[in-house]
């Protein structure tokens, strides 16, 4: 549902003040002249958690249904979906469940979209039409909650800060002025040199130079891609060759401190630059091949050997197919530390569960996409309500055995109903639970 809402809302979340990413911003700022202008950066304090949800939902609906191509879903239904996905987001903390009643939950896929929608409306009201008594910024460019602006003077930027902070009770701005003709925005350091903007890489004071170690337990491809990714970042952000070369030299020092061989660093840097300058091209000949993705756990050099053998066999017998093997190492540091509260057994959903009778020892295996507590309650309600069907209730009626509320255990989990159905059937096939009324059924895997 969240991905569906994101696809609907995304087109209305961008306006003329929005910055797509740091690369496009760097290209834009290089083209400006800045004679006697003051750079200033505004930042919204805790934007996500301070977004007024009801107001933002109303803004979203107005924009969507006043557009030339409104959504097919009725307006009232879309409003319910938005409220459900934002205001009825439950979370567990310190053993208690809470509702997110205002502000966007951190980490929600709707967070950046809703924040942008609210800020585009804020800008339409207060940036586009600035009062005559206030000096408006020469330019205003925003990426979510960070804004780059240009003013005629420092005093104008301070006055505009006070102007902004009077416009909405939830939204408060802080600001940072340029220092020595320099200002950081996103991951870019902007330098004003004689009325011309230059851009290079910005690193926070907390930057330690630590990257993925060369001897870390990861596929070699990941480490090589790290080099290419950083070089690509320098190429797109640095405004001239001298700044680019300076960043590349600094990167080489950092990577060698992280154990990277100098030969591998130099080869990949040279290879990237030659490709960007058109000196090297990868020409693919012949018909386009079908690409298949295979994700496997990373086991060290054995994984690399397996990939080479698999690619060789596929190339030999199925020349029209390319298998892209991606390795993932799930045994990372985060897997050993659980930072979130553990959900108790009855509150878990998408589970395969087993019920065991205390008296005869017979068992029942079932699945539920809802919480185990809800499904368990339905089984016991079936003892008193004729319209509810339950194999467990039927077992109680036939044997007169007293049911136990504590004899439910979770034996498997899955991320969706299809996978859950497969796991339920496999457990039934393996364990043959006697309370299940039908242990033989066809399951279509494709």
């Amino acid at each position: 549902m969240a991905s569906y809402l994101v696809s609907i809302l995304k087109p209305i979340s961008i306006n003329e003040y929005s910055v797509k990413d740091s690369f496009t911003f760097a290209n834009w700022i290089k083209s400006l002249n800045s004679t006697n202008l003051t750079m200033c950066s505004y930042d919204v304090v805790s934007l996500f958690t301070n977004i007024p949800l009801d107001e933002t939902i109303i803004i979203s609906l107005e924009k969507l249904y006043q557009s030339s191509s409104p959504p097919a879903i009725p307006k009232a239904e879309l409003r319910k979906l938005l409220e459900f996905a934002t205001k009825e987001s439950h979370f567990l903390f310190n053993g208690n469940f809470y509702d997110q009643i205002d502000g966007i939950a951190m980490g929600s896929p709707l967070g950046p979209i809703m924040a942008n929608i609210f800020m585009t409306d804020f800008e339409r009201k207060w940036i586009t039409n600035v009062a005559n008594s206030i000096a408006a910024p020469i330019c205003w460019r925003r990426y979510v909650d960070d804004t780059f602006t240009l003013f005629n003077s420092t005093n104008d930027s301070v006055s505009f800060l006070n102007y902004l902070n009077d416009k909405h009770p939830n939204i408060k701005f802080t600001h940072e002025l340029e220092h020595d003709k320099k200002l950081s925005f996103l991951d870019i350091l902007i330098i004003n040199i004689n009325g011309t903007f230059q851009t290079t890489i910005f690193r926070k004071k907390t930057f330690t130079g630590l990257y993925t170690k060369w001897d870390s337990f990861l596929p070699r491809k990941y480490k090589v891609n790290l080099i290419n990714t950083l070089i690509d970042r320098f190429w797109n952000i640095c405004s001239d060759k001298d700044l680019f070369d300076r960043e590349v030299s600094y990167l080489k020092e950092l990577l060698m401190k992280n154990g990277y061989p100098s030969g591998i660093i130099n080869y990949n840097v040279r290879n990237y630059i030659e490709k960007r300058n058109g000196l090297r091209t990868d020409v693919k000949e012949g018909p386009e091949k079908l690409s298949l993705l295979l994700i496997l756990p990373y086991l060290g050099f054995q994984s690399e050997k397996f990939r080479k053998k698999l690619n060789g066999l596929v190339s030999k017998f199925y020349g029209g197919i390319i298998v892209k093997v991606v390795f993932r190492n799930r045994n990372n540091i985060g897997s050993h530390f659980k930072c979130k509260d553990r959900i108790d057994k009855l509150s878990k959903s998408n589970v395969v569960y087993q019920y065991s009778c205390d008296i005869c020892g017979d068992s029942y295996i079932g699945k539920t996409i809802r919480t185990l507590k809800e499904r368990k309650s339905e089984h016991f309600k079936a003892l008193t309500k004729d319209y509810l069907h339950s194999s467990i209730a039927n077992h109680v009626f036939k044997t007169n055995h007293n049911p136990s509320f504590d004899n439910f255990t979770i034996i498997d989990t899955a991320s969706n109903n299809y996978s859950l159905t497969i796991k339920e059937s496999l457990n039934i096939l393996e364990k043959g639970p006697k309370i299940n009324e039908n242990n033989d059924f066809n399951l279509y895997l494709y």
Side-chain angles (χ1 to χ4, degrees), residues 330-358:
R330 300 188 182 276
N331 188 27
N332 51 30
I333 294 176
S335 66
H336 298 283
F337 298 93
K338 302 298 181 183
C339 301
K340 295 184 178 179
D341 287 15
R342 289 182 177 273
I343 299 176
D344 65 272
K345 177 180 73 174
L346 293 178
S347 298
K348 291 184 177 180
S349 57
N350 284 331
V351 298
V352 178
Y353 62 91
Q354 179 172 324
Y355 168 81
S356 298
C357 178
D358 275 336

Side-chain angles (χ1 to χ4, degrees), residues 202 336 363 445:
F202 170 72
H336 298 283
S363 63
L445 297 180

Side-chain angles (χ1 to χ4, degrees), residues 63-83:
K63 287 187 175 182
L64 285 169
Y65 289 94
Q66 289 175 2
S67 66
S68 57
S69 55
I73 183 172
K75 186 175 181 179
E77 297 302 319
L78 182 57
R79 179 168 188 161
K80 289 180 182 178
L81 282 177
L82 286 169
E83 290 176 346

Side-chain angles (χ1 to χ4, degrees), residues 64-119:
L64 285 169
Y65 289 94
Q66 289 175 2
S67 66
S68 57
S69 55
I73 183 172
K75 186 175 181 179
E77 297 302 319
L78 182 57
R79 179 168 188 161
K80 289 180 182 178
L81 282 177
L82 286 169
E83 290 176 346
F84 179 77
T86 55
K87 298 180 67 176
E88 297 184 26
S89 177
H90 313 295
F91 60 93
L92 182 65
F93 176 72
N94 205 21
N96 296 316
F97 282 97
Y98 296 87
D99 279 343
Q100 181 88 21
I101 59 175
D102 205 9
I104 296 291
M106 299 299 292
S108 167
L110 285 171
I113 300 294
M114 298 293 278
N116 267 325
I117 290 172
F118 176 79
M119 288 303 298

